[in-house]
């Protein structure tokens, strides 16, 4: 695996791969890699001939009170994992390389706007998050110039917004959705799982169980939502009532049309996503499940 930190060297390597007739796949990450990320690399390898991964903890997508400073940074171990997976190239840029216009003391500003869908659900809880996320993803697309880019289904709202941006600004770039990888107990893999204590982890495992119960009860839009709400509120209440259980707070549970991210009418037919965010202790976890009505 080649590791580069400069945009210039990255462009040279990608141009050489393309000149050799290779299709280039891109897997952007913020590091702290787990099996979920490696599944994205594997999918990229099935779909392309030259796989670029990036590791960049993007300051623009963290709010002031969020975990930017404590976000796990494990570059050496991550590089080792990517190399063992036969990734072709790792791009691990500095903040200056990604946002070169910044002068000292000046703060980077998002150059992309996620619009109304970027202001609901995750966007409501994390104002500005999706503008910052789209800004860095667009910048990375410009630098890497991939033919395809792979994103995990767990971050469904992120994936929706990236797809929409790609259609508008990166014609010809194929965005590929990779299925969520789960632990044996069902918890969706996430770099933030590393923050969970054992008891918090036990509670977190119940999130996917609640989503599955809601999907199985989905005789109607209302029935699915009601089951999900009941299950998730019970999980949160349990945490509040019992002093031995970690505190859990249900932020939202929502059913949206997978094609538009708009809330569903009761008579909706088609592919929907049941989305949830739960804060367990200090850790915010999201997950989702597909439901066909
Ligand atoms: O999903 C992530 O890890 C990040 O949001 C991404 C897409 C790498 C942009 O920083």
């Amino acid at each position: 695996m080649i590791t580069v930190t400069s945009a210039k060297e990255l462009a040279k390597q990608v141009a050489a791969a393309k000149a050799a007739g290779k299709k280039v796949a891109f897997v952007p990450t913020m590091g702290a890699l787990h099996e979920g990320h490696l599944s994205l690399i594997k999918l990229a390898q099935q779909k392309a001939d030259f796989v670029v991964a990036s590791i960049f903890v993007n300051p623009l997508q963290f709010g002031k009170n969020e975990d930017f400073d404590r976000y796990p940074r494990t570059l050496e171990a991550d590089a080792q994992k990517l190399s063992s997976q036969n990734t072709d190239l790792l791009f691990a840029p500095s903040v200056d390389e990604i946002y070169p216009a910044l002068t000292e003391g000046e703060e980077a500003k998002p150059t992309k706007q996620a619009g109304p869908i970027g202001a609901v659900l995750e966007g409501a809880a994390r104002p500005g998050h999706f503008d910052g996320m789209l800004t860095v993803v667009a910048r990375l697309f410009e630098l890497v110039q991939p033919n395809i880019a792979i994103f995990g289904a767990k971050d469904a709202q992120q994936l929706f917004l990236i797809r929409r941006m790609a259609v508008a600004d990166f014609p010809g770039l194929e965005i590929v959705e990779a299925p969520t990888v789960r632990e044996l107990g069902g918890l969706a893999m996430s770099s933030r799982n590393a923050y969970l204590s054992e008891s918090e982890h036990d509670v977190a495992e119940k999130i996917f169980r609640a989503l599955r119960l809601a999907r199985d009860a989905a005789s109607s839009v209302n029935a699915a939502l009601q089951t999900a709400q009941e299950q998730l509120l019970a999980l949160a209440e349990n945490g509040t009532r019992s002093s031995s259980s970690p505190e859990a707070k249900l932020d939202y549970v929502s059913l949206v049309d997978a094609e538009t991210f708009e809330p569903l009418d009761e008579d909706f037919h088609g592919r929907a996503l049941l989305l949830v965010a739960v804060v367990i202790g200090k850790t915010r976890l999201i997950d989702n499940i597909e439901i066909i009505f």
Side-chain angles (χ1 to χ4, degrees):
M1 183 178 77
I2 310 159
T3 300
V4 301
T5 55
S6 83
K8 212 167 151 192
E9 185 59 23
L10 167 74
K12 207 170 110 190
Q13 296 290 345
V14 173
K18 284 190 175 170
K22 293 183 178 171
K23 185 172 173 182
V24 176
F26 178 42
V27 179
T29 82
M30 297 204 303
L33 302 183
H34 49 68
E35 279 304 315
H37 294 111
L38 298 182
S39 78
L40 305 184
I41 300 285
K42 284 178 205 160
L43 186 58
Q45 286 166 334
Q46 286 163 22
K47 293 191 168 285
D49 319 292
F50 189 82
V51 175
V52 177
S54 66
I55 295 180
F56 180 67
V57 185
N58 173 34
L60 279 197
Q61 69 186 77
F62 288 79
K64 284 217 158 42
N65 299 320
E66 290 188 349
D67 54 348
F68 176 68
D69 288 331
R70 73 173 182 135
Y71 199 85
R73 287 162 173 84
T74 52
L75 186 58
E76 219 172 288
D78 290 343
Q80 186 58 49
K81 286 179 190 165
L82 290 170
S83 171
S84 307
Q85 191 54 53
N86 300 319
T87 308
D88 296 287
L89 188 144
L90 166 60
F91 179 45
S94 64
V95 173
D96 292 346
E97 198 67 24
I98 293 294
Y99 302 119
L102 290 187
T103 49
E104 224 161 280
E106 199 183 325
E107 273 191 20
K109 294 203 178 59
T111 54
K112 293 279 173 193
Q113 265 72 47
I117 301 291
V120 296
L121 304 165
E122 279 307 285
R126 308 182 64 191
H129 165 70
F130 285 123
D131 294 348
M133 179 282 293
L134 287 179
T135 299
V136 82
V137 170
R139 176 87 183 121
L140 289 165
F141 285 170
E142 279 157 14
L143 296 176
V144 178
Q145 297 283 322
N147 302 106
I148 68 171
I150 320 260
F151 294 87
K154 180 177 76 72
D155 296 299
Q157 198 174 357
Q158 164 171 288
L159 176 60
F160 173 84
L161 293 167
I162 291 171
R163 265 193 207 293
R164 205 182 54 181
M165 176 179 76
V167 168
D169 299 344
F170 298 91
L173 170 61
E174 185 192 347
I175 304 295
V176 175
E177 171 177 342
T180 302
V181 177
R182 298 184 180 278
E183 298 176 1
L184 280 180
L187 178 61
M189 293 217 180
S190 161
S191 304
R192 289 193 167 96
N193 292 355
Y195 300 148
L196 299 171
S197 68
E198 211 178 307
S199 57
E200 288 172 343
H201 188 275
D202 289 346
V203 175
E205 284 193 335
K206 295 184 180 146
I207 299 172
F208 188 56
R209 230 171 288 163
L211 291 181
R212 271 201 325 241
L213 281 172
R215 183 194 55 197
D216 297 346
S219 53
S220 71
V221 167
N222 284 346
L225 252 185
Q226 200 181 327
T227 307
Q229 268 159 354
E230 280 166 11
Q231 293 293 323
L232 291 158
L233 283 171
L235 177 160
E237 267 172 30
N238 204 17
T240 320
R241 275 205 219 113
S242 150
S243 56
S244 57
S245 293
E247 204 174 296
K249 186 179 150 287
L250 174 61
D251 184 350
Y252 62 77
V253 50
S254 184
L255 252 175
V256 299
D257 181 337
E259 307 309 320
T260 62
F261 248 76
E262 301 286 352
L264 303 188
D265 296 333
E266 177 57 19
D267 58 359
F268 173 84
H269 288 285
R271 189 176 157 251
L273 291 173
L274 178 61
L275 308 157
V276 62
V278 181
V279 183
I280 300 177
K282 287 195 166 76
T283 307
R284 180 187 178 76
L285 298 175
I286 60 171
D287 203 351
N288 67 77
I289 199 165
E290 182 186 89
I291 302 183
I292 309 289
F293 288 100

